[in-house]
Amino acid sequence: PKNPVQKSADATIDYVDERSGVKTGTRWFLFRNIPAGTSGFQTLGFTAMVVFGMQAITGIILAMYYVPDTRGGAYESIQRITEEVTWGWLVRGMHKWGASVMIIVVFLHMARVFIWGAYKYPRELTWVTGAFLLLLTMFMGLTGYLLVWDQKAYWATVVAVNIFASAPIVGPYIGDILRAGPEFGPATLSRFYSIHMLVIPGAMATFIGLHLYFIVRLGISEPPWSKRRLRIERDEEDARREAARERAKALPGAVAYPATWPTKVEEGVR
């Protein structure tokens, strides 16, 4: 028999599920068939999502102590987090190195998808949303790099923004948006801070949701060495060859029939 705590928990879950369908949604999301031969290579995407969650948590903690002030407040707040705040050095280290780890893991994930051909039909939209997530991840690294506000971060960001600004037609506009004006200044740090803390995380959460939806709906691709995948590809190739042979057989008749048109037209005229 269940104890009162378990009964209360089950009653609460049933109450919520009856009104929201949370059990059905959870089963649809978590419990599904996966291809045979699935290995650790298919967990790189989940690893990237876990790292993103860690970045979000450590970023929120750092934002509680960070001061986006160009007159020394930004740099001094980073030093205070590292040297004075309890476990601040650990949180900042996790956030700093987690950014590099996330970029590496996302690159490895996309390389695996490309090499295995998992971007092909019907998973094109899964690939597109993943490509957007890669761009957002790199842009998040760029915007976060300036927040330290030391010489290295300042001049590295100047170079990166000037590269964007050198693009044809839209480049100058992108440069002005990133700098929050024609030159680097106090508004630039606030612009990068707001993009890093609000715009990019919101966009990434949206695309992660879309990415997961496509993965659950379409499933994950089988590895290239899967016997089932090789059999399906062989059957598709045989079907294409058979269709090509049928077209070749029908071609002589299709060519010969129009050749009789002039004779029929002439007979009709007479």
Side-chain angles (χ1 to χ4, degrees), residues 236-267:
E236 290 176 349
E237 181 62 25
D238 292 341
R240 282 194 293 268
R241 290 179 179 177
E242 182 63 27
R245 283 194 293 267
E246 293 295 330
R247 287 195 300 268
K249 291 178 181 179
L251 185 60
V255 173
Y257 179 74
T260 63
W261 290 356
T263 303
K264 293 182 177 181
V265 172
E266 291 175 0
E267 291 176 354

Side-chain angles (χ1 to χ4, degrees), residues 117-135:
Y119 58 88
K120 300 177 182 178
Y121 175 86
R123 300 178 179 86
E124 298 91 339
L125 290 178
T126 309
W127 170 264
V128 171
T129 53
F132 275 110
L133 286 171
L134 172 63
L135 296 176

Side-chain angles (χ1 to χ4, degrees), residues 139-157:
F139 196 49
M140 175 170 277
L142 172 64
T143 54
Y145 196 76
L146 179 65
L147 302 185
V148 182
W149 201 250
D150 57 5
Q151 289 292 323
K152 183 173 68 173
Y154 179 86
W155 291 110
T157 307

Side-chain angles (χ1 to χ4, degrees), residues 68 107 270:
F107 264 108
R270 291 173 188 173

Side-chain angles (χ1 to χ4, degrees), residues 68 70 146 149 177-181 183-194:
T70 58
L146 179 65
W149 201 250
I177 292 173
L178 293 176
R179 289 188 297 259
E183 301 291 340
F184 273 78
T188 306
L189 182 61
S190 298
R191 177 67 53 87
F192 270 62
Y193 183 60
S194 62

